[in-house]
Amino acid sequence: MANRADDDDTRAALAALTERVAALEAAAGPPPPTAPAPARDDETFWALDGLKEHYGSGSLLYTGALQLPQGPPVEWQLAADADALLAEDWAPFAEHLAALGHPVRLSLLREVLRGTDTAAELGALDGMGSSGQIYHHLRQLVAAGWLRTVGRGHYEVPAIRVVPLLVVLFAARP
């Protein structure tokens, strides 16, 4: 059976704890306003729900699975912590993104993904420019890692870059 001294100690500890919590809440200020969660169909956000269950809030995930005209199936999944990405230096990303910033380079990537893999075949396509211009664009794409050479004059989009490339294009859609 508890004695009166124990009860008094418990009440004092609870009062001190209540005071500390009130002080912390006052220091933090009022909670930010929250918008009501939009009504949603649970089937619509099955991937998002899985991400939050596995990694928690504040995470990013992109994933994909596809079969290109040539080569094995491509499957990819990458998750990242949003706070870490926001804290990271973004300057090193500029070269990789800049390589995608030209219509001919985007067309070259699309055609390579469709199965046209030689510089000669790419040069025969309408609107690609001279062979010198094509090689200039191919070199930029190789340097940025969006393409790699797989033999003399043959190119491929590395499997590790296929889904990220398609995600960037998907995100940039008007």
Side-chain angles (χ1 to χ4, degrees), residues 35-59:
R40 66 184 185 108
D41 174 12
D42 285 339
E43 289 298 312
T44 301
F45 291 100
W46 59 269
L48 177 61
D49 291 339
L51 169 71
K52 290 188 327 190
E53 182 179 316
H54 192 75
Y55 293 103
S57 293
S59 298

Side-chain angles (χ1 to χ4, degrees), residues 66-72 74 110-116:
L66 64 141
Q67 176 65 57
L68 296 172
Q70 299 174 344
V74 176
R110 183 188 65 226
E111 295 306 322
V112 170
L113 285 172
R114 288 179 173 173
T116 306

Side-chain angles (χ1 to χ4, degrees), residues 21-41:
V21 169
L24 288 171
E25 287 175 341
T34 58
R40 66 184 185 108
D41 174 12

Side-chain angles (χ1 to χ4, degrees), residues 53-160:
E53 182 179 316
H54 192 75
Y55 293 103
S57 293
S59 298
L60 304 168
L61 173 72
Y62 66 89
T63 187
L66 64 141
Q67 176 65 57
L68 296 172
Q70 299 174 344
V74 176
E75 294 181 340
W76 184 255
Q77 175 177 301
L78 183 66
D81 178 78
D83 289 335
L85 186 58
L86 289 170
E88 196 171 333
D89 179 15
W90 290 5
F93 303 153
E95 178 185 348
H96 301 283
L97 294 171
L100 300 176
H102 194 283
V104 170
R105 289 193 289 272
L106 290 173
S107 294
L108 289 169
L109 287 167
R110 183 188 65 226
E111 295 306 322
V112 170
L113 285 172
R114 288 179 173 173
T116 306
D117 71 341
T118 69
E121 291 171 327
L122 293 165
L125 299 171
D126 288 334
M128 295 295 184
S130 69
S131 62
Q133 291 169 323
I134 290 171
Y135 279 106
H136 166 77
H137 291 304
L138 290 171
R139 277 192 303 275
Q140 287 189 312
L141 291 167
V142 168
W146 295 109
L147 279 180
R148 71 174 167 209
T149 57
V150 290
R152 187 172 172 89
H154 290 262
Y155 296 88
E156 73 177 9
V157 176
I160 198 169

